[in-house]
Amino acid sequence: MSLIFPAWLALATTLAAEPAAGTVDAYVGEALAHHPQLAAEQASWQASLERVPSQRALPDPKVTVGGFVQSVETRVGPQQVRLGVQQAVPWPTRLAQMGKAAASDADSAEWLVRASERTVRERVELAYWALWAVREKRALHAEHLTILDGLSATVRARVEVGGASLADLQQVDLSRSRLEDAIATLDAGEAAAVAVLRGAVGSEDLGTASTESEPVLTAAPDTLEAGAHPRLEALSTMAESADHRRRAAASQRLPDFTVGADWIVTGPSPMDGVADSGKDAVAVMVGLRLPIRQGVYTHDVAAARATETSLRERRAAGEDELQAAIDSTAVRLADSARRTEFIEQTLLPQAQAAYEAVLGEYAVGRAQVSQTLLAQRDLLELAVDLTDARSEHQMQWARLTSLTGETP
């Protein structure tokens, strides 16, 4: 890449089903497909779905078997065994509301999956552009080191013929050594950034983690408002679940029913000629639960109502915090765009013109080495600043996308 005028490369819109390898979209796709955090959230969602049917079902029936220690003699014969079956029937409201509560819990788990997808995407994009910036800055420093090598050779030749002093050569060599140290630091920073990207993607198989994407300067929409963020929607569905549980708790004040039947096995009568000898007896039973602990049920209702209020207030607070985060991110996004354009269109051309002027003066012996080094350092610093601004712009877009779902 050019040290002076790094060009913006526009990303062409393609209809390819899969993004090219090494692009930020490719890493995001890999993370969304295989990240362990998403797998855990999806498993939690599946578990919530599996719990819904049990909350809507009637309690299991109860079967009883009893034998008579002392047989009861009846006209038709001795009673030998008693078989019974009972089915508890809760108040209908309770089953309906508990089923709705479980369904709301499943909806909440689904929203949390969507929220985790946004979080994973943001982490991958932040890690990607941090790695891209380190590599760009390393390339700039390496290019500047090549320029200093040429300057060092020129000054050394002048020292040999008396056209420059040893101090001039020492200044150049000092700048070169400092630049080598900066490159070594960037090498370590690159290794660390690759490790961060590997963790964000959730895969050890990234190799050198190529960075093929280039930043694109994209302005944010004029108006940005907090929309249906998945985590806020999860709080809403949690509040709905608490409301259903409150209704279910309130139904405990109403009676439940039990229905059943008993079958009494009767042996043959010891007397001859008895009508219906050995005829079994069948009894039908209806029971009623008496909700006498009304005070306890009132506390259950109050607890569920308080839980619902807490979740709705947390949702309201989250909306305020989300809007504040959106506003602050939009400001940083706009500033990074402004800074990128200003450095690229104003500062770098000015620094380039100053450098070329100093270089011309030095060639004819009217400028010192220190002036040349200073002009070169200004060029390098501005090129690095431009790289940081471009990377920052992409990072702010990653944060804004996570907050609003708005894509550049």
Side-chain angles (χ1 to χ4, degrees), residues 308-328:
E308 179 188 1
T309 301
S310 172
L311 291 168
R312 295 199 184 281
E313 291 299 326
R314 286 172 58 188
R315 159 85 194 225
E319 287 179 343
D320 294 338
E321 293 174 0
L322 177 61
Q323 187 61 57
I326 291 173
D327 293 341
S328 62

PDB file of all heavy atoms in Angstrom, residues 308-328:
ATOM      1  N   GLU A 308     -43.088  -9.193  37.838  1.00  0.00           N
ATOM      2  CA  GLU A 308     -43.487  -8.566  36.584  1.00  0.00           C
ATOM      3  C   GLU A 308     -43.110  -7.089  36.561  1.00  0.00           C
ATOM      4  O   GLU A 308     -42.561  -6.583  35.568  1.00  0.00           O
ATOM      5  CB  GLU A 308     -44.995  -8.722  36.388  1.00  0.00           C
ATOM      6  CG  GLU A 308     -45.492  -8.062  35.105  1.00  0.00           C
ATOM      7  CD  GLU A 308     -47.004  -8.055  35.008  1.00  0.00           C
ATOM      8  OE1 GLU A 308     -47.676  -8.545  35.930  1.00  0.00           O
ATOM      9  OE2 GLU A 308     -47.521  -7.534  33.994  1.00  0.00           O
ATOM     10  N   THR A 309     -43.379  -6.386  37.666  1.00  0.00           N
ATOM     11  CA  THR A 309     -43.035  -4.961  37.742  1.00  0.00           C
ATOM     12  C   THR A 309     -41.535  -4.757  37.593  1.00  0.00           C
ATOM     13  O   THR A 309     -41.077  -3.850  36.878  1.00  0.00           O
ATOM     14  CB  THR A 309     -43.518  -4.383  39.073  1.00  0.00           C
ATOM     15  OG1 THR A 309     -44.934  -4.545  39.177  1.00  0.00           O
ATOM     16  CG2 THR A 309     -43.167  -2.909  39.183  1.00  0.00           C
ATOM     17  N   SER A 310     -40.742  -5.608  38.261  1.00  0.00           N
ATOM     18  CA  SER A 310     -39.283  -5.492  38.170  1.00  0.00           C
ATOM     19  C   SER A 310     -38.805  -5.652  36.730  1.00  0.00           C
ATOM     20  O   SER A 310     -37.971  -4.871  36.253  1.00  0.00           O
ATOM     21  CB  SER A 310     -38.636  -6.555  39.060  1.00  0.00           C
ATOM     22  OG  SER A 310     -37.236  -6.602  38.866  1.00  0.00           O
ATOM     23  N   LEU A 311     -39.349  -6.636  36.034  1.00  0.00           N
ATOM     24  CA  LEU A 311     -38.918  -6.887  34.652  1.00  0.00           C
ATOM     25  C   LEU A 311     -39.325  -5.751  33.721  1.00  0.00           C
ATOM     26  O   LEU A 311     -38.555  -5.345  32.841  1.00  0.00           O
ATOM     27  CB  LEU A 311     -39.512  -8.203  34.163  1.00  0.00           C
ATOM     28  CG  LEU A 311     -38.942  -9.461  34.833  1.00  0.00           C
ATOM     29  CD1 LEU A 311     -39.796 -10.673  34.510  1.00  0.00           C
ATOM     30  CD2 LEU A 311     -37.499  -9.690  34.389  1.00  0.00           C
ATOM     31  N   ARG A 312     -40.503  -5.198  33.919  1.00  0.00           N
ATOM     32  CA  ARG A 312     -40.935  -4.093  33.052  1.00  0.00           C
ATOM     33  C   ARG A 312     -40.127  -2.832  33.331  1.00  0.00           C
ATOM     34  O   ARG A 312     -39.826  -2.064  32.414  1.00  0.00           O
ATOM     35  CB  ARG A 312     -42.430  -3.849  33.243  1.00  0.00           C
ATOM     36  CG  ARG A 312     -43.295  -5.027  32.785  1.00  0.00           C
ATOM     37  CD  ARG A 312     -44.727  -4.625  32.533  1.00  0.00           C
ATOM     38  NE  ARG A 312     -45.561  -5.785  32.198  1.00  0.00           N
ATOM     39  CZ  ARG A 312     -45.599  -6.372  31.017  1.00  0.00           C
ATOM     40  NH1 ARG A 312     -44.849  -5.915  30.026  1.00  0.00           N
ATOM     41  NH2 ARG A 312     -46.404  -7.418  30.802  1.00  0.00           N
ATOM     42  N   GLU A 313     -39.758  -2.599  34.588  1.00  0.00           N
ATOM     43  CA  GLU A 313     -38.917  -1.440  34.904  1.00  0.00           C
ATOM     44  C   GLU A 313     -37.515  -1.624  34.341  1.00  0.00           C
ATOM     45  O   GLU A 313     -36.884  -0.668  33.870  1.00  0.00           O
ATOM     46  CB  GLU A 313     -38.864  -1.236  36.413  1.00  0.00           C
ATOM     47  CG  GLU A 313     -40.182  -0.778  37.019  1.00  0.00           C
ATOM     48  CD  GLU A 313     -40.642   0.556  36.450  1.00  0.00           C
ATOM     49  OE1 GLU A 313     -39.786   1.401  36.138  1.00  0.00           O
ATOM     50  OE2 GLU A 313     -41.867   0.759  36.299  1.00  0.00           O
ATOM     51  N   ARG A 314     -37.023  -2.855  34.392  1.00  0.00           N
ATOM     52  CA  ARG A 314     -35.718  -3.120  33.794  1.00  0.00           C
ATOM     53  C   ARG A 314     -35.764  -2.889  32.288  1.00  0.00           C
ATOM     54  O   ARG A 314     -34.800  -2.401  31.698  1.00  0.00           O
ATOM     55  CB  ARG A 314     -35.291  -4.558  34.092  1.00  0.00           C
ATOM     56  CG  ARG A 314     -34.846  -4.802  35.536  1.00  0.00           C
ATOM     57  CD  ARG A 314     -34.625  -6.265  35.817  1.00  0.00           C
ATOM     58  NE  ARG A 314     -33.627  -6.823  34.901  1.00  0.00           N
ATOM     59  CZ  ARG A 314     -33.360  -8.124  34.825  1.00  0.00           C
ATOM     60  NH1 ARG A 314     -34.032  -8.985  35.573  1.00  0.00           N
ATOM     61  NH2 ARG A 314     -32.428  -8.565  33.997  1.00  0.00           N
ATOM     62  N   ARG A 315     -36.875  -3.223  31.678  1.00  0.00           N
ATOM     63  CA  ARG A 315     -37.046  -2.964  30.241  1.00  0.00           C
ATOM     64  C   ARG A 315     -37.022  -1.464  29.976  1.00  0.00           C
ATOM     65  O   ARG A 315     -36.362  -0.992  29.037  1.00  0.00           O
ATOM     66  CB  ARG A 315     -38.371  -3.572  29.773  1.00  0.00           C
ATOM     67  CG  ARG A 315     -38.936  -2.984  28.477  1.00  0.00           C
ATOM     68  CD  ARG A 315     -38.365  -3.633  27.266  1.00  0.00           C
ATOM     69  NE  ARG A 315     -38.650  -2.881  26.048  1.00  0.00           N
ATOM     70  CZ  ARG A 315     -39.065  -3.416  24.924  1.00  0.00           C
ATOM     71  NH1 ARG A 315     -39.274  -4.718  24.838  1.00  0.00           N
ATOM     72  NH2 ARG A 315     -39.252  -2.682  23.859  1.00  0.00           N
ATOM     73  N   ALA A 316     -37.725  -0.694  30.803  1.00  0.00           N
ATOM     74  CA  ALA A 316     -37.761   0.759  30.615  1.00  0.00           C
ATOM     75  C   ALA A 316     -36.371   1.358  30.796  1.00  0.00           C
ATOM     76  O   ALA A 316     -35.936   2.221  30.017  1.00  0.00           O
ATOM     77  CB  ALA A 316     -38.758   1.384  31.583  1.00  0.00           C
ATOM     78  N   ALA A 317     -35.658   0.900  31.832  1.00  0.00           N
ATOM     79  CA  ALA A 317     -34.300   1.402  32.047  1.00  0.00           C
ATOM     80  C   ALA A 317     -33.389   1.003  30.896  1.00  0.00           C
ATOM     81  O   ALA A 317     -32.540   1.793  30.448  1.00  0.00           O
ATOM     82  CB  ALA A 317     -33.747   0.867  33.371  1.00  0.00           C
ATOM     83  N   GLY A 318     -33.567  -0.221  30.389  1.00  0.00           N
ATOM     84  CA  GLY A 318     -32.750  -0.671  29.266  1.00  0.00           C
ATOM     85  C   GLY A 318     -32.990   0.141  28.014  1.00  0.00           C
ATOM     86  O   GLY A 318     -32.067   0.394  27.240  1.00  0.00           O
ATOM     87  N   GLU A 319     -34.233   0.578  27.791  1.00  0.00           N
ATOM     88  CA  GLU A 319     -34.527   1.419  26.626  1.00  0.00           C
ATOM     89  C   GLU A 319     -33.784   2.747  26.715  1.00  0.00           C
ATOM     90  O   GLU A 319     -33.229   3.224  25.713  1.00  0.00           O
ATOM     91  CB  GLU A 319     -36.031   1.662  26.532  1.00  0.00           C
ATOM     92  CG  GLU A 319     -36.822   0.449  26.068  1.00  0.00           C
ATOM     93  CD  GLU A 319     -38.313   0.729  26.021  1.00  0.00           C
ATOM     94  OE1 GLU A 319     -38.738   1.735  26.648  1.00  0.00           O
ATOM     95  OE2 GLU A 319     -39.050  -0.033  25.384  1.00  0.00           O
ATOM     96  N   ASP A 320     -33.766   3.338  27.913  1.00  0.00           N
ATOM     97  CA  ASP A 320     -33.044   4.609  28.083  1.00  0.00           C
ATOM     98  C   ASP A 320     -31.549   4.417  27.849  1.00  0.00           C
ATOM     99  O   ASP A 320     -30.894   5.227  27.167  1.00  0.00           O
ATOM    100  CB  ASP A 320     -33.294   5.161  29.483  1.00  0.00           C
ATOM    101  CG  ASP A 320     -34.753   5.553  29.697  1.00  0.00           C
ATOM    102  OD1 ASP A 320     -35.449   5.798  28.696  1.00  0.00           O
ATOM    103  OD2 ASP A 320     -35.191   5.606  30.864  1.00  0.00           O
ATOM    104  N   GLU A 321     -31.003   3.355  28.424  1.00  0.00           N
ATOM    105  CA  GLU A 321     -29.570   3.098  28.257  1.00  0.00           C
ATOM    106  C   GLU A 321     -29.235   2.787  26.798  1.00  0.00           C
ATOM    107  O   GLU A 321     -28.189   3.223  26.287  1.00  0.00           O
ATOM    108  CB  GLU A 321     -29.160   1.933  29.155  1.00  0.00           C
ATOM    109  CG  GLU A 321     -29.242   2.242  30.648  1.00  0.00           C
ATOM    110  CD  GLU A 321     -28.978   1.026  31.501  1.00  0.00           C
ATOM    111  OE1 GLU A 321     -28.727  -0.058  30.925  1.00  0.00           O
ATOM    112  OE2 GLU A 321     -29.018   1.136  32.741  1.00  0.00           O
ATOM    113  N   LEU A 322     -30.124   2.059  26.140  1.00  0.00           N
ATOM    114  CA  LEU A 322     -29.884   1.723  24.740  1.00  0.00           C
ATOM    115  C   LEU A 322     -29.890   2.970  23.867  1.00  0.00           C
ATOM    116  O   LEU A 322     -29.017   3.138  23.008  1.00  0.00           O
ATOM    117  CB  LEU A 322     -30.951   0.734  24.258  1.00  0.00           C
ATOM    118  CG  LEU A 322     -30.885   0.340  22.779  1.00  0.00           C
ATOM    119  CD1 LEU A 322     -29.567  -0.351  22.462  1.00  0.00           C
ATOM    120  CD2 LEU A 322     -32.053  -0.570  22.421  1.00  0.00           C
ATOM    121  N   GLN A 323     -30.843   3.866  24.090  1.00  0.00           N
ATOM    122  CA  GLN A 323     -30.899   5.084  23.289  1.00  0.00           C
ATOM    123  C   GLN A 323     -29.668   5.948  23.530  1.00  0.00           C
ATOM    124  O   GLN A 323     -29.111   6.538  22.587  1.00  0.00           O
ATOM    125  CB  GLN A 323     -32.163   5.873  23.617  1.00  0.00           C
ATOM    126  CG  GLN A 323     -32.394   7.070  22.700  1.00  0.00           C
ATOM    127  CD  GLN A 323     -32.552   6.659  21.240  1.00  0.00           C
ATOM    128  OE1 GLN A 323     -33.414   5.863  20.899  1.00  0.00           O
ATOM    129  NE2 GLN A 323     -31.706   7.205  20.371  1.00  0.00           N
ATOM    130  N   ALA A 324     -29.212   6.001  24.788  1.00  0.00           N
ATOM    131  CA  ALA A 324     -27.996   6.769  25.091  1.00  0.00           C
ATOM    132  C   ALA A 324     -26.788   6.160  24.389  1.00  0.00           C
ATOM    133  O   ALA A 324     -25.939   6.884  23.836  1.00  0.00           O
ATOM    134  CB  ALA A 324     -27.773   6.813  26.604  1.00  0.00           C
ATOM    135  N   ALA A 325     -26.703   4.836  24.389  1.00  0.00           N
ATOM    136  CA  ALA A 325     -25.583   4.172  23.713  1.00  0.00           C
ATOM    137  C   ALA A 325     -25.637   4.404  22.211  1.00  0.00           C
ATOM    138  O   ALA A 325     -24.599   4.612  21.560  1.00  0.00           O
ATOM    139  CB  ALA A 325     -25.610   2.671  24.026  1.00  0.00           C
ATOM    140  N   ILE A 326     -26.836   4.383  21.640  1.00  0.00           N
ATOM    141  CA  ILE A 326     -26.983   4.641  20.204  1.00  0.00           C
ATOM    142  C   ILE A 326     -26.545   6.060  19.872  1.00  0.00           C
ATOM    143  O   ILE A 326     -25.813   6.293  18.893  1.00  0.00           O
ATOM    144  CB  ILE A 326     -28.442   4.397  19.774  1.00  0.00           C
ATOM    145  CG1 ILE A 326     -28.780   2.914  19.836  1.00  0.00           C
ATOM    146  CG2 ILE A 326     -28.688   4.928  18.361  1.00  0.00           C
ATOM    147  CD1 ILE A 326     -30.241   2.607  19.594  1.00  0.00           C
ATOM    148  N   ASP A 327     -26.984   7.026  20.665  1.00  0.00           N
ATOM    149  CA  ASP A 327     -26.635   8.423  20.401  1.00  0.00           C
ATOM    150  C   ASP A 327     -25.127   8.646  20.483  1.00  0.00           C
ATOM    151  O   ASP A 327     -24.532   9.306  19.621  1.00  0.00           O
ATOM    152  CB  ASP A 327     -27.364   9.332  21.394  1.00  0.00           C
ATOM    153  CG  ASP A 327     -28.876   9.338  21.173  1.00  0.00           C
ATOM    154  OD1 ASP A 327     -29.308   8.943  20.079  1.00  0.00           O
ATOM    155  OD2 ASP A 327     -29.608   9.727  22.107  1.00  0.00           O
ATOM    156  N   SER A 328     -24.494   8.086  21.530  1.00  0.00           N
ATOM    157  CA  SER A 328     -23.057   8.285  21.685  1.00  0.00           C
ATOM    158  C   SER A 328     -22.277   7.573  20.583  1.00  0.00           C
ATOM    159  O   SER A 328     -21.275   8.101  20.069  1.00  0.00           O
ATOM    160  CB  SER A 328     -22.608   7.781  23.056  1.00  0.00           C
ATOM    161  OG  SER A 328     -22.845   6.389  23.202  1.00  0.00           O
TER     162      SER A 328
END
